[in-house]
Structure formats: C-alpha cells, structure tokens
C-alpha cells in the first residue's frame, strides 16, 4: 500500500513563507466538509517555520525548518483522541471536525506541537496534508506546490521504496526518541541538531596581515585524526556535523613557510574560534 510522505530539505528553505501563505490561502475562510473546518486567519501555523542560528559573528549560519504535522504511524494524538483522530490507509492523520468538537485537550497530545485550537469553531486543527486535494487527484499539497526552491517534496510510496529513499538520501526524523514513526522526513537536519568549529588563518608578512589560503587544517579528538581541510581564499575553514557537548578537540594548522599552530577547545555548541596567526 502506498502512503503519503513529505521530505523537507533544511538547506533549501530560505524562509520565504510561501508554504505558510499557501496553506492560509487554501484553508482560511474555506470549509472542507469531512476534512477540516476553516483555519483562522491569525494564530495557527499548520506549517510552522522554525529558525536555528549557529556560531558567532562573523561566522554565523541561519537555517529554517518548515514543521507541519508529522502524520505519525504511531501517533500519540490518536491514542489520546477517543476516536476523533484517525490515520487513513494512505498514511494521512485526520482530525474529525465533528467528533473532535470541544476536545481542546488534544493540543497537548502532540509532541511536535502540531495541533492548534480553533476557538471560533471549537475544534482542534492541524495540517491535513491537503487531503481534500489529494483525493481529487492532486499530486502534491498546496505548500509543496508553492515552494520556489523545492525544499518540500511529497512522495507517495510503499514502505520498501520509502526505506530505500530514507537510506539513499540520508533522511532523519524529528524527535526520534518520541518513537512516533513520522511520515515527514528531513534532509540536512544537521543545521538544527549538530554544530561546527570554524575559524580563519592569517599571518603577518612584512608588516601586512593577510589571510592564508590553502593552509592544511586538521581536526583531532585525543590522538585520533577525524578529518582535514584546506582554508579557502579568505583563509576560512569549517568542520561541520559535530555533536554538541562532544568534548575536547584539537585543531592543527600547517602551511609551508610558516610555523605550525595548534588550538585546543571544548565543544559545547557551534564555535567560531576566531583567527589563528601563524607568524
Ligand atoms: Fe498527531 Fe502530532 Fe503526530 Fe501529527 S505530529 S500525527 S498531530 S502526534
Ligand atoms: Fe497546509 Fe496542506 Fe501544507 Fe498541510 S499540506 S501545511 S494543510 S498546505
């Protein structure tokens, strides 16, 4: 049986909010009987764009993570709902707008904070994966269609095919510890859950401080060499996808014609170690 999934590439999201606005366009003031009541104009974020900032000036990166309902296989909201939330055979988790009337407590059942309370309609609501459109033959929901960078992809696939894509594209899920088996997968999630060590290499040559391009920078932990890189034409280097709070690291710098340099640091979160001067 094929089921719907979303694949979201964090590196491609530029925070344009087209997904968010297209969700509003599709659901605000529109009643989709059997699917969901109209979404309020303000307050609800059925696809919620979260932001993560890493590093320190001037070595900073900012990333965005669109976050809809995960359409979980083992959904805590379903367990809490007494029958008002169900999972369809095609994988979409739906809140029945009639049966769920008055059940405000359901907004606390989702570990992803994906359920919103509609005061005017007296119902909990969330992303429906635009099921009313998919049931009419649409190949993708509105937010996926609206994304200008293809950061969002809708994939209708069976478990075997999805497992292949998961491995081939190195996908991850949010909050794996919640064991909800999401149907929404993320690419490049390291921008949210991993950190980097970065810096610059420079030297004082005849009274002029200049950046050093092509210096070999090696990252070690204890005596183990983890990886190495060359500085770019600004003298910058970056080691990414390191675990937070992962202990002590050593950075060694070598450049022909200059003395070697070494820096030791304790990594808690993304760190710009600044400029290492070779002279
Ligand atoms: Fe339910 Fe939350 Fe999972 Fe969506 S993400 S299916 S609302 S538990
Ligand atoms: Fe909104 Fe549809 Fe996208 Fe869900 S799939 S966030 S309901 S536009």
């Amino acid at each position: 049986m094929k089921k719907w999934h979303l694949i979201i590439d964090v590196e491609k999201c530029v925070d344009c909010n087209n997904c968010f606005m297209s969700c509003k366009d599709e659901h605000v003031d529109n009643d989709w009987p059997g699917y969901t009541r109209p979404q309020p104009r303000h307050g609800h974020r059925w696809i919620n764009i979260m932001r993560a900032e890493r590093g320190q000036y001037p070595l900073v990166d900012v990333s965005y993570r669109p976050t809809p309902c995960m359409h979980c296989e083992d959904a805590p909201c379903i367990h809490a709902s007494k029958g008002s939330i169900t999972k369809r055979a095609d994988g979409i988790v739906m809140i029945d707008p009639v049966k769920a009337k008055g059940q405000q407590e359901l907004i606390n059942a989702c570990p992803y904070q994906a359920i919103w309370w509609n005061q005017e309609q007296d119902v909990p609501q969330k992303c429906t994966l635009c099921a009313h459109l998919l049931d009419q033959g649409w190949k993708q929901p509105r937010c996926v269609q609206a994304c200008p960078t293809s950061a969002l992809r809708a994939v209708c696939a069976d478990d075997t095919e999805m497992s292949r894509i998961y491995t081939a594209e190195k996908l991850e899920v949010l909050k794996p510890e919640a064991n909800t088996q999401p149907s929404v997968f993320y690419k490049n999630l390291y921008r949210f859950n991993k950190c980097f060590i970065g810096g610059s290499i420079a030297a004082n040559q005849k009274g002029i401080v200049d950046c050093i391009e092509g210096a070999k920078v090696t990252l070690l932990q204890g005596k183990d060499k983890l990886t190495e890189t060359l500085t770019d034409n600004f003298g910058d280097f970056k080691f990414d996808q390191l675990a937070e709070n992962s202990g002590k690291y050593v950075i060694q710098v070598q450049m022909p014609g200059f003395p070697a340099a070494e820096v030791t640091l304790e990594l808690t979160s993304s760190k710009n170690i600044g400029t290492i001067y070779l002279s």
Side-chain angles (χ1 to χ4, degrees), residues 69-72 75-77 93 110-112 114-115 126:
C69 163
M70 300 289 128
H71 297 277
C72 311
C77 64
V93 173
C110 172
Y112 304 94
I115 303 180
K126 64 168 194 68

Coordinates of all heavy atoms in Angstrom, one line a residue, residues 69-72 75-77 93 110-112 114-115 126, ligand 1:
C69 N 2.4 18.9 10.7 CA 2.1 17.6 11.4 C 2.9 16.5 10.8 O 3.1 16.5 9.5 CB 0.6 17.3 11.2 SG 0.1 15.5 11.6
M70 N 3.4 15.6 11.6 CA 4.3 14.5 11.1 C 3.6 13.3 10.5 O 4.2 12.4 10.1 CB 5.2 14.1 12.2 CG 6.1 15.1 12.8 SD 7.4 15.6 11.7 CE 7.2 17.4 11.7
H71 N 2.2 13.3 10.6 CA 1.4 12.2 10.1 C 2.0 10.9 10.6 O 2.3 10.0 9.8 CB 1.2 12.3 8.6 CG 0.5 13.5 8.2 ND1 -0.9 13.6 8.3 CD2 0.9 14.8 7.9 CE1 -1.3 14.8 8.0 NE2 -0.2 15.5 7.7
C72 N 2.2 10.8 11.9 CA 2.9 9.7 12.6 C 2.2 8.3 12.3 O 0.9 8.2 12.3 CB 3.0 9.9 14.1 SG 3.6 11.6 14.5
A75 N 0.8 7.5 16.4 CA 0.5 8.9 16.7 C 0.0 9.0 18.1 O -1.1 8.5 18.4 CB -0.4 9.5 15.7
P76 N 0.7 9.7 19.0 CA 0.1 10.0 20.4 C -1.2 10.7 20.3 O -2.1 10.4 21.2 CB 1.2 10.9 21.0 CG 2.4 10.6 20.3 CD 2.0 10.3 18.9
C77 N -1.5 11.5 19.3 CA -2.8 12.2 19.3 C -3.9 11.3 19.0 O -5.0 11.4 19.6 CB -2.7 13.3 18.2 SG -2.5 12.7 16.5
V93 N -3.0 11.5 8.7 CA -3.7 11.5 10.0 C -4.7 12.7 10.0 O -4.3 13.8 9.7 CB -2.7 11.7 11.2 CG1 -3.4 12.0 12.5 CG2 -1.7 10.5 11.3
C110 N 0.2 16.2 21.1 CA 1.2 16.1 20.1 C 2.6 16.5 20.5 O 2.8 17.6 21.0 CB 0.8 16.9 18.9 SG 2.1 17.0 17.6
P111 N 3.6 15.6 20.4 CA 4.9 16.0 20.9 C 5.6 17.0 20.0 O 6.7 17.6 20.3 CB 5.7 14.7 20.9 CG 4.9 13.8 20.0 CD 3.5 14.2 20.0
Y112 N 5.0 17.3 18.8 CA 5.6 18.3 17.9 C 4.8 19.6 17.9 O 5.1 20.5 17.1 CB 5.6 17.7 16.5 CG 6.3 16.4 16.4 CD1 5.5 15.2 16.5 CD2 7.6 16.3 16.2 CE1 6.2 14.0 16.4 CE2 8.3 15.1 16.1 CZ 7.5 13.9 16.3 OH 8.2 12.7 16.2
A114 N 1.9 20.3 16.9 CA 1.4 20.5 15.5 C -0.1 20.7 15.6 O -0.7 21.0 14.5 CB 1.7 19.3 14.7
I115 N -0.8 20.6 16.7 CA -2.2 20.8 16.8 C -2.6 22.1 17.4 O -1.9 22.6 18.4 CB -2.9 19.6 17.6 CG1 -2.5 18.3 17.1 CG2 -4.4 19.8 17.7 CD1 -3.1 17.1 17.8
K126 N -5.1 20.9 12.5 CA -3.7 20.7 12.1 C -3.7 20.5 10.6 O -4.7 20.4 9.9 CB -3.1 19.6 12.8 CG -3.7 18.2 12.5 CD -2.9 17.1 13.0 CE -3.4 15.8 12.3 NZ -3.1 15.7 10.8
Ligands
LIG1 FE1 -0.6 13.6 15.8 FE2 1.4 15.3 16.3 FE3 1.9 13.0 15.1 FE4 0.6 14.9 13.8 S1 2.7 15.1 14.5 S2 0.1 12.7 13.8 S3 -0.7 15.8 15.4 S4 1.2 13.3 17.1

